[in-house]
């Protein structure tokens, strides 16, 4: 996307009453709902004494999150607001570390992992991931490639859950 396309999107969102606030709320809501669904399944595994399932559900997202974070630090891709010099809709001062989007990666690795336990919940979380990805792009904190990469890596890592169960 170009600077002009981000600025056009910003103007369109700003023209909607509470548009900017809506983007912020949607992003936070998707994150909180995902965490609640994830922890609910962790507790279900714990109380059901499904030790292997619990371990896999903790280790796959946890280890892959650390590996993605290390890669982001090494690759250190610039964010749209750094490249184009605008202020993003989501308050952010982070420099670099844009690829892949860790927010989008996280929601997709959790959603894909949950699909092995609770398919409907997993699909719901992945659908919320699509909405979160759109919010991250239209707010100017990520390029489309950042969120697409995060989603693909998250899905692939989540597939490891099925292999390990």
């Amino acid at each position: 996307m170009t600077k002009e396309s981000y600025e056009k999107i910003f103007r369109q969102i700003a023209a909607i009453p509470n548009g900017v606030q809506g983007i912020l709320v949607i992003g936070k809501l998707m994150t909180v709902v995902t965490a609640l669904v994830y922890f609910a399944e962790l507790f279900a595994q714990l109380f059901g004494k499904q030790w292997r399932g619990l371990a896999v559900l903790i280790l796959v997202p946890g280890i892959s999150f650390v590996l993605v974070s290390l890669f982001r630090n090494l690759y250190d891709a610039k964010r749209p607001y750094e490249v184009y010099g605008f202020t993003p809709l989501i308050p952010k001062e982070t420099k670099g570390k844009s690829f892949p989007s860790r927010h989008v990666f996280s929601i997709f690795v959790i959603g894909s992992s949950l699909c092995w336990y609770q398919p409907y919940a997993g699909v719901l979380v992945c659908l919320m991931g699509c909405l979160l990805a759109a919010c991250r792009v239209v707010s100017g904190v990520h390029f489309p490639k950042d969120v697409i990469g995060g989603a693909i890596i998250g899905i692939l890592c989540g597939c490891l859950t099925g292999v390990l169960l």
Side-chain angles (χ1 to χ4, degrees), residues 74-88:
L74 293 172
Y75 189 67
D76 200 26
K78 290 187 178 205
R79 294 175 178 272
Y81 58 84
E82 290 179 271
V83 172
Y84 298 132
F86 58 72
T87 301

Side-chain angles (χ1 to χ4, degrees), residues 37-76:
V37 171
Y38 178 60
F39 286 118
E41 184 57 33
L42 288 175
F43 283 118
Q45 294 294 309
L46 176 67
F47 292 123
K49 297 183 180 177
Q50 301 296 318
W51 307 121
R52 183 183 180 106
L54 178 64
V56 170
L57 193 56
I58 291 170
L59 292 174
V60 168
I63 291 171
S64 55
F65 181 85
V66 169
L67 293 174
V68 163
S69 296
L70 290 171
F71 174 79
R72 280 167 41 110
N73 287 341
L74 293 172
Y75 189 67
D76 200 26

Side-chain angles (χ1 to χ4, degrees), residues 1 34 52 54 62 73 113 138 147 160:
M1 286 181 47
T34 297
R52 183 183 180 106
L54 178 64
N73 287 341
S113 294
V138 301
V147 298
L160 289 174

Side-chain angles (χ1 to χ4, degrees), residues 115-156:
C115 281
W116 298 99
Y117 301 84
Q118 302 292 333
Y120 292 120
V123 169
L124 174 66
V125 169
C126 288
L127 290 173
M128 291 189 313
C130 295
L131 187 55
L132 179 65
C135 287
R136 303 296 289 177
V137 172
V138 301
S139 65
V141 297
H142 282 293
F143 288 106
K145 69 175 177 57
D146 301 334
V147 298
I148 292 168
I152 291 170
I153 295 167
I155 290 167
L156 292 174

